[in-house]
Amino acid sequence: MQSHILTIILFTPLVGALVLLFIPKENKEAIRWIANIFALAGLLVSIPLVPLFWAVRAEPGFKFVEGVANNWIPSIGAGYVLGIDGISFLLIMLTTLLGWISILSSWTAIENRVKEYYIWFLVLQTGMLGVFMALDFFLFFVFWEAMLVPMYLLIGIWGGPKKLYAAIKFFLYTLFGSVLMLLAVLFLYFYNYHQTGTYTFSIEALYKTAPGIFHDPAYGATYAILLFCAFALAFAIKVPMFPFHTWLPDAHVEAPTAGSVILAGVLLKMGTYGFIRFALPFFPDVAMHPKVRGWMIALSIIGIVYGALVSLMQKDMKKLVAYSSVSHLGFCTLGIFALNGPGLSGSVLQQINHGISTGALFLIVGILYERRHTREIAEYGGISNVMPVYATITMIMFLSSMGLPLLNGFVGEFTILQGTFIENWRWAAWAIPGVVLAAAYLLWLYQRVFFGTVTNPKNEKLHDLTPRELLTFAPLVIMALWIGLYPKPFFEILETPVNQLVQTVRRPNGMMRAYDTPTHVTPEKAGAGN
Amino acid sequence: MTPNLHLWWIPLLPLIGAAINGLFGKKFSRPAVAGVALTFCGAAFAYASYIASRFSSLAIPYSETLAHWMRAGSFQVDFAFYLDQLSLVMLLVVTGVGFLIHIYSVGYMWEEGGFYRFFSYLNLFMFFMLMLVLGSNYLVMFIGWEGVGLASYLLIGFFFLRDSAAAAGKKAFIVNRIGDFGFLIALFLMIRHFGSLDFSPVFQSVAPMSAETGAAGLLTAIALLLMVGAAGKSAQIPLYVWLPDAMEGPTPVSALIHAATMVTAGVYMISRSHVIFERAPMALTVVAVIGTLTALFAATIGITQTDIKKVLAYSTISQLGYMFLACGVAAFSAAIFHLMTHAFFKGLLFLAAGSVIHAVGGEQDMRKMGGLRKKIPWTFWTMTIGTIAIAGIPPLAGFFSKDEILWRAYQASWVYWLIGLITAFLTSFYMFRLWFLTFTGEYRGSQDAQRHDADTPAAASVPHGGHSHGVHESPMVMIVPLVILAVLSFVGGWIGIPGSLGGKNQFDKFLAPVFHASTPALNSAHTMPGETAPPEQQTEGPEPQTSRTTELIFTGISVVAALLGLGLAWLLYSFQPELPQRIADTLNGLYTTVLNKYYVDDIYAAVLVNPLLAISTNVLWHGVDQNVIDATLNNSADGARQLSDSVRHMQSGNIRSYAGWVAAGAAAVICYMVWLGVRAQ
């Protein structure tokens, strides 16, 4: 007995894209309506998943599994296998929500090549959902690459003045990472064959064999670490972690508003999701290796503080928000590599929070950009006089982003820091300045844009939010308050998968880790690794 | 069994008011906005009073849980509320003084734009402040702690048309956040070591621990980190710099937030955590030293300021320093006593100062006031009471609370006492200076002072418009709160008359269950043999009879100091008004230094803020991001392009060139084969 709800959620946007193909491109209104209807439908079909998932939240393993291993291309062992746990469930809901909001927000922003825009956007939506649902690495990789192309086009066609540079930079960065990841997966694929005698890309099958590489005398720790690094590089670029983050500000600044919302809200989470879904369970012993973990934590902390400091000095609003994402995602990776319950739960929750808050921040920037076609902070000032409703919503989302209690950001950051503190108080202490600086760059931005008198005559006639724009913010504000006031259901959903992961990574009476012994890498093995 | 008190209604009521005014206030008339704000704030006060009236019949400490909030692993925090003697005092002060200031604000803000916004923020502030004092765990306290900061930010920046106000609001929030850094780490330490943030379990875990007299340990670390947070919120050295700037906000805000309630949150937090602090003598010493230094330091700045609100702001910092001194010598009930009387008289002084500013059409420079005694009699008389109260002249409120602190401080160390005494003298001096400058002599303001405000945004801080003809008294809606606060400033100290003056020190007794309950556990279980009893046992509770004479002598000395301050102020600002300028000229360097607040703001800017900004821009952004990471990438991209470019030239479409390449390739292959052959031999 299989439920097909995941497939329905996955392909609803793609059906929309196919329908759009048949609409003449001159008929812009019809295209907009159809795209919005399918985006809304994509959200609506995902809503029944909420009660269904809630009922089985405490069950271990993947739920709503569709398909069996190797059913797609049996000769190479690729399967159309979908399935979710609490972590992917939350990310899927975030994706459907943000997908609808982004498409709704594009109504007046996109005027040229409308048809292609919406088609690519809907294809992107399916690609992202597929990444979170795939339980087969081949399928995962198809979606992973498939979503790269639409995003590249969204930036490259509908972007700003330096759009080509930004788009190619984005594309090459990500592609470089994924090529290494593919090589690592092929290694796991053949290793699995050697261990079990079957060729398969099934993630659950690879979960069983991949951790063994670390202890396999034929390969050992060095191989495992190198493979982990291949995965980690792909995901670190995507997150992005310092020092692989420089594509992000460019991509964001050039991307159209909706592209930025999706890029920040969902695409960056592919990186953190990849760490959680692949890098940790494939290589638990590497993740716990003090050196590897130390590096990941250090890069996270550098990202937190670095992103915040650089945000402080930006003159372009969108670039400021982009750098703040580097800082916020630093908290997410910090939580992941705390490798304990609070750290991981907080990290996933903070990924959702970041999607909500930063998604809203990009929408906020987009509202002004659409009216004035500039994002220079110096061009603005006194906006709260002319756009009071907009100013109020901005304040709420800024407060959420800077982690004010009773709003969502606080819950995530607090839980992450608590989890980190348990592991090593210094890590938390180094990360907290990011919280202080977040208040500084956001409040300073708010002061420069919203307070004071309207000094620039061009800003005098700006109109406040339209009902459609208000509608794009409403769900985000509600979610920010919900998670801030009552995060308990979210923690409950995350509890089972996170505990499972923590147990995988820290097997309580598991085998002796190689680095626990004095001679952790024997010369032969080290030589074999070269 | 105590019935459910539904304490959560107390913070919720102002929140409802804030929401109504915030969402719909724009369409309301002014009386309706004021009505909503006063109703919900008043209801909170009424409910608090009702609880106070039933207090003796309740099982104290009382706590209730409204809902679950956060949970991660085994650690859980709830929306829970807590009531004991300490929170009751805070509750009454916050709702009572808050309600009076709400009433006053109706008159003060009547002419301002954004009336509904102001009251929405003011109610929002009440919500967060009540969460802070009623929270049953540190995290609910932290909600209030951050939230009052937010409300303060919004209210300081209320005049957001003025850049200075917007900047001041931001500065306050950020400096507070620096303090919160310490607070947060302290919370994480508590979670890690006690597994909870609820007051009861934490204090129960701490109670059996012995004082860290020898080496500093966990409790000292927690206490010091909490102190960092408290120093930010309560404007102590080195984080006090935001409070004087906060005076950019409307005057009722200065009275409510930056004098009576929010800034005392640090004192409340330390008193609430007294179980921890009592076991961390080193941290207590730090608290006392910082408090003492802040008291003196701020007082010296206070004597040179000419802006009436800035004088009061530095005075507030100085008085908060007294409260920290009291906490630092483990005289927590004395600290709370001073907190309460200070809320009365400093609230009164700010409101009266607002009335003065209101009367003279927005002028805040005392050099342009003078002779206002006859023109604004109500303001004059209430402010006089406030001045006497803060100066520490009996039998007004400030005398009792300050004397209590000085006496406790003396028992800890005569140095604290001496500096405290000097500060008391300075306090009396700068307050009477303010009083003489404002109310006596001739009016020095230019007549156009009353109309200049219309065209400079800098004067937008006070109502104007209808009030442009001459100095005038404020409306009744502002006078009544002044009078009530004046009465409280007069009699408020009488509930804490010490034994040496024939009183019973009821205030200390009332708070005794909070502050003394933990001490016996310390004694019975863990006082090490041979160790002298910790100071807190001597400092609070019934005192030995022998010290009574000594205590009376000390009381006399502090009264004399206050009177000397009064006399000096009279000499300099009434009898010989040209003298201050001569003194300032003589002590030019020192005077300028103090006038410029010891250049602390400039030093912070030069040493911390500007380098940070410069590093962010030049090193991190332009340096690392653009010149290192991106440059490396772009260079390798360029390299790849050049390489491919040169390879591209092979495909020229030119037959002869192809032939040449073929020949070259053939030659290379032949050479290779020859070489292979040579090697094989």
Side-chain angles (χ1 to χ4, degrees):
Chain A
M1 169 62 204
Q2 279 196 350
S3 124
H4 289 289
I5 185 159
L6 292 183
T7 302
I8 296 169
I9 297 172
L10 175 59
F11 288 110
T12 304
L14 197 64
V15 171
L18 290 174
V19 171
L20 281 183
L21 281 177
F22 298 100
I23 311 291
K25 66 171 187 282
E26 293 76 25
N27 201 347
K28 289 184 183 175
E29 280 302 291
I31 292 169
R32 289 194 176 111
W33 275 106
I34 290 171
N36 273 281
I37 285 166
F38 274 96
L40 184 61
L43 174 64
L44 291 180
V45 294
S46 71
I47 284 175
L49 191 59
V50 176
L52 291 175
F53 190 88
W54 181 253
V56 295
R57 66 189 183 281
E59 288 173 17
F62 292 104
K63 291 165 269 272
F64 302 100
V65 176
E66 293 180 32
V68 289
N70 306 353
N71 62 356
W72 181 22
I73 314 175
S75 55
I76 61 164
Y80 175 79
V81 192
L82 304 180
I84 54 173
D85 63 359
I87 296 167
S88 37
F89 166 70
L90 289 181
L91 288 166
I92 285 167
M93 296 311 294
L94 178 74
T95 309
T96 54
L97 177 67
L98 284 181
W100 169 63
I101 289 175
S102 321
I103 286 184
L104 183 61
S105 78
S106 312
W107 198 286
T108 54
I110 301 300
E111 276 301 333
N112 65 325
R113 305 176 76 171
V114 177
K115 184 173 160 183
E116 290 102 308
Y117 176 83
Y118 283 112
I119 289 176
W120 286 122
F121 218 106
L122 289 167
V123 171
L124 175 66
Q125 185 76 2
T126 292
M128 294 185 299
L129 289 167
V131 164
F132 292 132
M133 291 176 183
L135 288 187
D136 180 280
F137 204 92
F138 196 87
L139 187 67
F140 170 84
F141 203 78
V142 168
F143 285 123
W144 174 274
E145 295 292 321
M147 111 211 143
L148 195 57
V149 177
M151 197 66 218
Y152 168 77
L153 294 172
L154 286 178
I155 300 173
I157 296 176
W158 292 274
K162 281 175 68 189
K163 57 192 179 188
L164 277 182
Y165 172 75
I168 293 174
K169 196 171 177 183
F170 162 78
F171 194 87
L172 287 183
Y173 248 115
T174 319
L175 197 68
F176 177 67
S178 28
V179 167
L180 285 178
M181 178 170 72
L182 186 64
L183 286 177
V185 165
L186 287 176
F187 190 101
L188 299 187
Y189 174 75
F190 288 112
Y191 185 79
N192 181 65
Y193 172 74
H194 279 288
Q195 298 296 311
T196 62
T198 45
Y199 285 113
T200 180
F201 282 104
S202 158
I203 286 169
E204 284 182 293
L206 297 182
Y207 276 170
K208 293 197 183 76
T209 54
I213 297 174
F214 192 91
H215 307 281
D216 190 327
Y219 300 104
T222 313
Y223 264 80
I225 289 174
L226 283 175
L227 289 167
F228 175 87
C229 287
F231 275 95
L233 187 69
F235 300 138
I237 287 173
K238 204 85 189 167
V239 169
M241 293 175 81
F242 180 89
F244 309 109
H245 64 277
T246 59
W247 64 268
L248 182 75
D250 287 319
H252 270 309
V253 168
E254 301 307 327
T257 298
S260 289
V261 173
I262 286 296
L263 185 58
V266 184
L267 254 67
L268 304 190
K269 277 49 177 216
M270 308 270 165
T272 44
Y273 176 77
F275 276 117
I276 293 174
R277 178 67 73 231
F278 301 110
L280 299 189
F282 282 168
F283 310 105
D285 299 282
V286 181
M288 284 300 290
H289 193 291
K291 271 216 177 114
V292 173
R293 196 173 171 211
W295 271 101
M296 299 310 289
I297 296 277
L299 290 181
S300 303
I301 293 172
I302 292 173
I304 290 171
V305 179
Y306 183 94
L309 282 173
V310 178
S311 286
L312 206 52
M313 297 315 294
Q314 296 306 313
K315 298 180 175 66
D316 179 314
M317 279 186 247
K318 221 170 170 189
K319 219 165 184 173
L320 191 154
V321 180
Y323 273 110
S324 83
S325 287
V326 176
S327 183
H328 284 129
L329 266 296
F331 276 104
C332 295
T333 46
L334 181 69
I336 291 174
F337 284 92
L339 292 173
N340 57 25
L344 278 160
S345 308
S347 173
V348 179
L349 191 63
Q350 188 64 4
Q351 289 166 36
I352 307 294
N353 290 337
H354 177 262
I356 293 166
S357 318
T358 307
L361 294 193
F362 279 118
L363 286 176
I364 283 165
V365 176
I367 297 281
L368 276 186
Y369 182 77
E370 215 179 302
R371 285 162 173 67
R372 282 285 326 278
H373 295 284
T374 175
R375 289 182 297 254
E376 283 289 309
I377 296 168
E379 284 279 321
Y380 296 98
I383 296 297
S384 54
N385 297 297
V386 285
M387 300 173 71
V389 177
Y390 172 67
T392 309
I393 287 181
T394 307
M395 177 49 84
I396 295 171
M397 293 326 297
F398 275 26
L399 294 173
S400 133
S401 184
M402 73 177 79
L404 196 88
L406 299 188
L407 288 169
N408 56 348
F410 175 74
V411 179
E413 279 175 5
F414 187 87
T415 319
I416 290 173
L417 288 171
Q418 187 218 333
T420 314
F421 197 93
I422 296 171
E423 297 301 313
N424 188 331
W425 68 270
R426 288 176 196 83
W427 297 345
W430 277 107
I432 296 179
V435 183
V436 179
L437 289 167
Y441 61 73
L442 286 171
L443 290 183
W444 194 22
L445 174 65
Y446 198 83
Q447 183 195 339
R448 287 178 291 173
V449 173
F450 290 93
F451 285 161
T453 45
V454 182
T455 45
N456 190 335
K458 288 178 194 157
N459 294 333
E460 275 163 11
K461 293 272 164 59
L462 297 183
H463 59 94
D464 211 335
L465 297 183
T466 63
R468 177 184 59 83
E469 288 166 336
L470 209 52
L471 184 62
T472 60
F473 286 111
L476 298 175
V477 173
I478 291 168
M479 288 303 295
L481 279 168
W482 180 14
I483 299 179
L485 288 170
Y486 195 63
K488 199 167 165 246
F490 294 86
F491 283 119
E492 274 187 40
I493 286 170
L494 291 173
E495 195 172 0
T496 313
V498 161
N499 284 345
Q500 219 177 336
L501 185 59
V502 171
Q503 273 167 19
T504 312
V505 178
R506 310 174 172 249
R507 279 155 303 176
N509 359 294
M511 58 194 100
M512 175 97 85
R513 294 181 197 284
Y515 49 79
D516 291 338
T517 59
T519 55
H520 63 281
V521 181
T522 57
E524 303 92 69
K525 280 185 207 156
N530 289 332
Chain B
M1 185 62 202
T2 307
N4 192 338
L5 291 177
H6 298 293
L7 284 178
W8 52 276
W9 273 107
I10 301 178
L12 191 70
L13 286 165
L15 182 66
I16 297 173
I20 293 177
N21 271 335
L23 293 174
F24 313 113
K26 204 171 184 184
K27 301 184 182 77
F28 290 174
S29 66
R30 283 175 188 241
V33 169
V36 168
L38 289 184
T39 306
F40 284 98
C41 182
F45 176 54
Y47 197 64
S49 310
Y50 163 74
I51 286 175
S53 70
R54 292 187 45 200
F55 192 74
S56 54
S57 69
L58 300 174
I60 297 298
Y62 162 86
S63 68
E64 68 181 34
T65 301
L66 177 63
H68 297 305
W69 183 23
M70 273 165 74
R71 194 190 59 170
S74 59
F75 163 73
Q76 179 165 340
V77 200
D78 296 330
F79 288 112
F81 299 94
Y82 187 82
L83 185 73
D84 66 355
Q85 288 83 355
L86 175 59
S87 29
L88 183 73
V89 171
M90 293 300 292
L91 186 61
L92 290 174
V93 168
V94 170
T95 53
V97 177
F99 183 53
L100 289 175
I101 294 175
H102 269 70
I103 297 175
Y104 174 95
S105 307
V106 175
Y108 191 88
M109 301 301 291
W110 194 258
E111 313 269 332
E112 289 292 329
F115 192 70
Y116 76 97
R117 205 160 45 89
F118 178 83
F119 278 100
S120 175
Y121 295 164
L122 211 56
N123 271 352
L124 185 70
F125 169 78
M126 294 298 286
F127 162 70
F128 282 121
M129 191 67 208
L130 290 166
M131 291 291 278
L132 198 160
V133 299
L134 284 177
S136 169
N137 56 55
Y138 279 99
L139 214 58
V140 174
M141 188 197 251
F142 192 73
I143 296 177
W145 188 267
E146 288 273 293
V148 290
L150 165 70
S152 160
Y153 168 79
L154 293 170
L155 283 164
I156 298 170
F158 177 72
F159 297 117
F160 56 73
L161 293 180
R162 262 186 300 168
D163 285 340
S164 53
K170 181 197 65 178
K171 180 175 176 183
F173 198 94
I174 295 170
V175 173
N176 268 298
R177 273 241 157 161
I178 296 172
D180 296 344
F181 174 85
F183 198 161
L184 269 179
I185 297 184
L187 297 191
F188 293 132
L189 272 174
M190 287 187 212
I191 296 173
R192 182 155 108 174
H193 291 278
F194 310 129
S196 176
L197 287 178
D198 289 326
F199 292 146
S200 310
V202 169
F203 298 151
Q204 273 161 21
S205 314
V206 174
M209 298 167 84
S210 57
E212 293 172 347
T213 40
L218 172 68
L219 295 181
T220 309
I222 294 179
L224 285 174
L225 288 163
L226 288 176
M227 176 59 195
V228 174
K233 189 88 356 189
S234 295
Q236 298 294 293
I237 290 174
L239 297 177
Y240 70 91
V241 287
W242 63 270
L243 185 58
D245 291 20
M247 295 300 126
E248 290 284 346
T251 306
V253 171
S254 312
L256 177 61
I257 300 187
H258 307 118
T261 54
M262 182 187 86
V263 289
T264 60
V267 180
Y268 168 73
M269 185 253 268
I270 291 183
S271 305
R272 175 57 79 203
S273 321
H274 68 99
V275 184
I276 298 172
F277 277 84
E278 279 163 354
R279 285 159 184 75
M282 198 186 103
L284 277 181
T285 311
V286 170
V287 173
V289 169
I290 286 184
T292 316
L293 289 179
T294 309
L296 179 66
F297 181 79
T300 57
I301 300 178
I303 57 178
T304 61
Q305 298 300 306
T306 53
D307 180 319
I308 189 168
K309 283 182 74 183
K310 287 275 167 74
V311 174
L312 292 176
Y314 281 104
S315 162
T316 303
I317 299 174
S318 174
Q319 299 297 312
L320 288 166
Y322 272 121
M323 297 175 210
F324 276 80
L325 167 59
C327 289
V329 297
F332 298 104
S333 73
I336 297 296
F337 188 26
H338 197 56
L339 185 159
M340 183 186 79
T341 60
H342 178 258
F344 297 152
F345 61 68
K346 189 54 70 63
L348 168 63
L349 285 167
F350 264 113
L351 293 187
S355 180
V356 169
I357 298 167
H358 191 241
V360 295
E363 184 56 62
Q364 294 187 198
D365 191 338
M366 296 186 296
R367 290 169 301 188
K368 297 188 181 147
M369 295 176 184
L372 297 177
R373 181 160 57 105
K374 291 276 168 52
K375 293 173 178 161
I376 44 172
W378 284 102
T379 309
F380 166 70
W381 280 110
T382 49
M383 191 142 189
T384 306
I385 290 173
T387 309
I388 299 175
I390 192 177
I393 294 169
L396 276 72
F399 161 74
F400 294 102
S401 53
K402 195 182 291 184
D403 190 52
E404 179 92 0
I405 292 177
L406 286 177
W407 172 238
R408 306 291 196 220
Y410 173 74
Q411 288 170 320
S413 159
W414 63 270
V415 181
Y416 296 151
W417 171 78
L418 184 64
I419 298 179
L421 187 71
I422 295 170
T423 307
F425 162 75
L426 291 174
T427 307
S428 168
F429 171 68
Y430 66 66
M431 282 311 303
F432 279 105
R433 168 177 175 265
L434 182 153
W435 187 84
F436 281 117
L437 280 174
T438 309
F439 293 110
T440 65
E442 292 296 312
Y443 182 58
R444 294 179 297 274
S446 52
Q447 283 310 310
D448 58 306
Q450 279 122 48
R451 58 170 184 76
H452 83 289
D453 50 341
D455 44 54
T456 60
S461 66
V462 287
H464 45 73
H467 296 289
S468 52
H469 5 267
V471 176
H472 53 88
E473 182 59 287
S474 301
M476 280 316 282
V477 70
M478 290 165 65
I479 305 271
V480 170
L482 284 180
V483 172
I484 296 173
L485 282 173
V487 172
L488 288 171
S489 303
F490 204 103
V491 305
W494 297 355
I495 57 166
I497 300 175
S500 61
L501 293 174
K504 291 190 183 126
N505 209 348
Q506 286 145 322
F507 193 79
D508 185 48
K509 290 207 180 74
F510 178 69
L511 287 177
V514 182
F515 293 130
H516 301 281
S518 69
T519 322
L522 176 69
N523 294 336
S524 56
H526 285 278
T527 305
M528 288 162 208
E531 185 192 323
T532 49
E536 61 265 22
Q537 285 153 38
Q538 302 150 14
T539 53
E540 301 216 319
E543 293 149 38
Q545 204 56 267
T546 44
S547 68
R548 184 167 168 174
T549 333
T550 331
E551 195 177 343
L552 278 176
I553 294 171
F554 276 92
T555 304
I557 295 175
S558 48
V559 172
V560 169
L563 291 174
L564 277 178
L566 163 62
L568 187 65
W570 172 77
L571 178 71
L572 292 181
Y573 295 96
S574 185
F575 185 65
Q576 298 252 299
E578 76 289 351
L579 210 53
Q581 193 54 46
R582 294 222 314 265
I583 297 172
D585 291 343
T586 320
L587 301 171
N588 194 11
L590 180 65
Y591 176 75
T592 323
T593 309
V594 181
L595 184 66
N596 288 298
K597 306 156 225 163
Y598 298 97
Y599 299 104
V600 172
D601 272 320
D602 308 81
I603 294 169
Y604 281 1
V607 177
L608 297 173
V609 181
N610 294 341
L612 190 73
L613 297 184
I615 289 173
S616 302
T617 315
N618 299 325
V619 180
L620 299 183
W621 181 28
H622 294 315
V624 177
D625 253 33
Q626 294 180 347
N627 291 339
V628 179
I629 301 176
D630 269 0
T632 314
L633 280 169
N634 292 342
N635 286 343
S636 48
D638 284 347
R641 186 164 48 200
Q642 275 163 18
L643 185 69
S644 3
D645 201 46
S646 51
V647 177
R648 182 176 65 97
H649 284 299
M650 291 182 185
Q651 300 183 356
S652 57
N654 184 328
I655 300 286
R656 274 186 297 173
S657 134
Y658 284 156
W661 283 116
V662 169
V669 171
I670 291 166
C671 289
Y672 178 66
M673 293 176 78
V674 168
W675 179 71
L676 275 183
V678 170
R679 215 183 66 158
Q681 283 170 359

